[in-house]
Amino acid sequence: EPEVTQTPSHQVTQMGQEVILRCVPISNHLYFYWYRQILGQKVEFLVSFYNNEISEKSEIFDDQFSVERPDGSNFTLKIRSTKLEDSAMYFCASSEAGGPFGELFFGEGSRLTVL
Amino acid sequence: KQEVTQIPAALSVPEGENLVLNCSFTDSAIYNLQWFRQDPGKGLTSLLLIQSSQREQTSGRLNASLDKSSGRSTLYIAASQPGDSATYLCAAPKPSGSRLTFGEGTQLTVNP
């Protein structure tokens, strides 16, 4: 069964360092997303991406964050200068249909720990 | 702004029991609602997507219902098993956009 894969599964970094989280969405999906879950809190939307541009972003997704689809298979989330409060589980998701219509499929997540 | 609430926060039942998990949402102008399962430290597994045109959607022992007018969805699990122990999340999309708003989840424990 097709699945969304994410790497790394766990990354530990020092405050102020840049981090890149990688995702390989399901191959025929066209809409891509990043969500995050701080320990003990709700899953929160960060950004959606379609046709090589951001289609929607949340207030969390400030200038420290960026997303890119560098090739036909990968989708990345970059945090430019990490803060302690960026420590969370980051989930990539993809869907075949976009907007409010699509069924989202999530990866296993990348746990980011900022020290 | 869409807000999603799940009740109860935690539920512990003996194996074999049928149970209902509740989800409510504030903006009823949704096209669908999705239920997920999350095991500790793991990702989100999609269980059911129920379209606004449907009243129910079934997958195996799971049945989800959606009542847009009352802003509610329920997930019914029949004949629960210890392997069903997990956190169950419901998520509703923003009516005019792409983001999903998640509830806090119901942590289910099925005791053998």
Side-chain angles (χ1 to χ4, degrees):
Chain A
E1 185 175 322
E3 59 180 18
V4 176
T5 57
Q6 291 186 240
T7 55
S9 56
H10 189 193
Q11 181 155 359
V12 181
T13 190
Q14 295 291 326
M15 192 167 54
Q17 295 296 303
E18 175 183 285
V19 161
I20 297 177
L21 306 178
R22 291 182 169 82
C23 169
V24 178
I26 294 172
S27 62
N28 64 328
H29 286 184
L30 300 176
Y31 299 84
F32 313 116
Y33 312 85
W34 285 100
Y35 285 76
R36 79 173 185 188
Q37 186 177 34
I38 295 170
L39 189 64
Q41 298 187 21
K42 290 186 183 186
V43 177
E44 303 174 288
F45 169 81
L46 292 177
V47 66
S48 58
F49 190 87
Y50 169 71
N51 200 26
N52 279 321
E53 59 182 34
I54 290 173
S55 46
E56 189 174 354
K57 61 182 181 180
S58 72
E59 48 285 350
I60 302 168
F61 194 88
D62 61 22
D63 292 344
Q64 294 296 322
F65 292 88
S66 61
V67 288
E68 190 179 31
R69 187 152 164 83
D71 54 44
S73 58
N74 290 284
F75 179 51
T76 62
L77 173 69
K78 182 192 290 188
I79 308 174
R80 188 150 49 97
S81 177
T82 49
K83 306 184 186 83
L84 295 175
E85 55 264 35
D86 293 329
S87 293
M89 183 77 98
Y90 287 81
F91 294 109
C92 174
S94 67
S95 64
E96 201 171 356
F101 307 103
E103 180 176 7
L104 268 65
F105 295 89
F106 283 76
E108 287 288 300
S110 292
R111 180 170 297 285
L112 176 64
T113 302
V114 182
L115 302 177
Chain B
K1 180 185 172 185
Q2 182 69 274
E3 293 181 7
V4 177
T5 306
Q6 291 186 247
I7 294 172
L11 185 62
S12 181
V13 300
E15 183 176 1
E17 193 159 299
N18 302 326
L19 55 100
V20 175
L21 307 181
N22 297 291
C23 171
S24 60
F25 47 92
T26 54
D27 191 332
S28 61
I30 58 172
Y31 291 95
N32 58 52
L33 185 139
Q34 200 165 351
W35 282 92
F36 296 90
R37 168 186 173 137
Q38 185 176 31
D39 292 285
K42 298 290 188 181
L44 309 176
T45 301
S46 178
L47 296 173
L48 288 164
L49 175 77
I50 181 164
Q51 303 287 356
S52 61
S53 57
Q54 301 172 299
R55 291 192 64 85
E56 290 188 2
Q57 180 73 275
T58 298
S59 175
R61 294 183 292 106
L62 305 180
N63 175 279
S65 67
L66 177 62
D67 184 345
K68 282 180 55 176
S69 61
S70 66
R72 290 183 174 183
S73 177
T74 60
L75 180 67
Y76 175 82
I77 302 177
S80 57
Q81 302 170 357
D84 294 332
S85 298
T87 297
Y88 290 81
L89 301 169
C90 71
K94 182 178 151 188
S96 59
S98 54
R99 71 175 72 186
L100 285 181
T101 300
F102 282 81
E104 308 92 333
T106 293
Q107 187 174 357
L108 173 66
T109 303
V110 181
N111 301 299

